[in-house]
Amino acid sequence: MAGLLYYANEYRKHANMPQSALTSTECECSKAELLDRINHLGGAELIAVNVRNPLAMDPQTHCHARGTLFLLTEGLVIVETAQGRQLSPSQTIGWMPPGVEHAVQSYGPTAGCGAFLTPQFCGDLPAEPTSYPVNPLVALILQKALSWPHGTPLDLTRMRLLLVLLDELRQSPARPLQLPWPQDARLLGIARALLDDIASARTLEQWARWAEISPRTLSRKFMLETGMSFAQWRQWARLTQALEWLATGRAVKDVALSLGYDSVSAFIKTFRQALGATPSAYFQAQQRGQPMPASSAAQPAAALE
């Protein structure tokens, strides 16, 4: 609950409550008050708060009555739902529809802005978790919304800004779940086992025997249920793990070898093809607050079979 506790800290600031005068009991009341605002639909149609977590957050499954936009300016977050996993590095805007159970795992310090939107304004946004590249106008409106009161409906001027924000998001290229779970129990078992042993060199045929399924059925159903080939899914799983490890400060060479690559250069090549930059350039750009260029590859290259 580290993230929600920080929301409570920020809520006290907006409510002009001096932190030095608060007791632990009052902290819990403030957190409860904020949660009440988020999970009930009265008051402002959009509630925005600053977020800063100096420590990594452990995932806890939860959901909100409102849809959630999260503009991450520092750090790396992985969001997991029943449908799959979504990677959100800094300089991205994450979207979580109302009522969807999810868990958030952060890696190292994170910072950004969270905005909670009543369901009547969520209809034109994706029905599944997704993310967007940072839109400067959206970022400015979210920043401005931090000063809006939480307890009363938006006035006409603020409502116009909210509608502009939604229109900008509708026109932005959405990034769907990057690691969707297959629905077939046998394929899901393979996917989970792959994440537990990310460097495994098992071939598709070996995984098929492990799951007691034919290689042809495994290949066909993986594409049908995830939209990716088995090799593409496994490669993206490795890249997701690579970003998690790199965000915690592990060396590129250590990450490459831990993922099962034969050489650092092969890992860097695959990383650049999928994410548009080398690992070093990727994290340097994040530290400078610059969005990464779009990758020329629609899916990660299948470097390991």
Side-chain angles (χ1 to χ4, degrees):
M1 300 296 287
L4 289 175
L5 183 57
Y6 187 80
Y7 289 151
N9 292 339
E10 290 300 316
Y11 190 70
R12 287 196 298 272
K13 293 177 187 177
H14 286 295
N16 296 317
M17 298 170 64
Q19 298 209 133
S20 59
L22 292 175
T23 67
S24 59
T25 301
E26 288 169 324
C27 288
E28 289 303 310
C29 290
S30 296
K31 186 169 82 171
E33 187 177 10
L34 177 61
L35 285 172
D36 185 67
R37 293 287 191 194
I38 291 171
N39 289 316
H40 292 81
L41 305 180
E45 291 82 356
L46 179 71
I47 293 175
V49 292
N50 269 316
V51 181
R52 178 171 293 277
N53 290 299
L55 302 175
M57 291 186 296
D58 292 326
Q60 294 184 4
T61 301
H62 62 284
C63 69
H64 297 299
R66 293 171 178 249
T68 304
L69 288 167
F70 189 79
L71 170 58
L72 196 67
T73 57
E74 178 186 334
L76 174 71
V77 165
I78 302 289
V79 181
E80 183 166 336
T81 70
Q83 288 73 45
R85 304 179 85 200
Q86 177 72 49
L87 183 80
S88 293
S90 67
Q91 307 309 310
T92 61
I93 298 174
W95 163 246
M96 181 62 60
V100 175
E101 289 194 345
H102 60 283
V104 181
Q105 173 72 66
S106 66
Y107 296 86
T110 52
C113 170
F116 301 89
L117 188 64
T118 52
Q120 64 263 37
F121 290 94
C122 299
D124 289 336
L125 296 177
E128 296 183 351
T130 190
S131 65
Y132 302 91
V134 166
N135 177 311
L137 182 53
V138 170
L140 285 171
I141 294 173
L142 288 175
Q143 184 68 28
K144 191 174 184 64
L146 293 172
S147 64
W148 295 354
H150 297 168
T152 57
L154 301 182
D155 61 22
L156 184 59
T157 299
R158 290 165 178 159
M159 182 60 70
R160 283 198 294 261
L161 287 175
L162 172 56
L163 295 177
V164 170
L165 181 152
L166 294 173
D167 191 52
E168 288 292 310
L169 287 177
R170 283 192 291 267
Q171 298 180 60
S172 297
R175 299 167 176 168
L177 281 168
Q178 295 157 324
L179 203 63
W181 300 127
Q183 299 305 304
D184 184 283
R186 296 164 297 178
L187 271 59
L188 181 59
I190 292 173
R192 294 291 190 183
L194 270 170
L195 291 178
D196 289 338
D197 185 12
I198 199 69
S200 172
R202 282 178 177 169
T203 64
L204 181 148
E205 290 74 19
Q206 289 171 328
W207 278 114
R209 286 196 297 272
W210 179 86
E212 299 182 347
I213 187 174
S214 74
R216 182 176 179 181
T217 299
L218 188 158
S219 180
R220 177 179 58 82
K221 288 180 72 68
F222 228 99
M223 177 62 76
L224 180 66
E225 295 186 8
T226 70
M228 301 181 187
S229 70
F230 175 75
Q232 287 172 333
W233 194 98
R234 175 167 59 181
Q235 194 59 56
W236 189 249
R238 285 174 171 155
L239 287 168
T240 301
Q241 183 64 72
L243 284 168
E244 295 176 16
W245 285 341
L246 291 166
T248 62
R250 289 180 63 171
V252 172
K253 180 179 180 180
D254 178 35
V255 169
L257 298 179
S258 297
L259 291 173
Y261 286 87
D262 293 329
S263 68
V264 177
S265 60
F267 166 65
I268 292 175
K269 178 180 178 181
T270 301
F271 191 101
R272 183 172 56 239
Q273 288 175 337
L275 297 172
T278 65
S280 297
Y282 184 91
F283 282 94
Q284 287 172 4
Q286 288 197 15
Q287 291 169 1
R288 293 193 299 266
Q290 297 175 351
M292 291 306 306
S295 169
S296 59
Q299 296 289 353
L304 293 175
E305 271 290 59

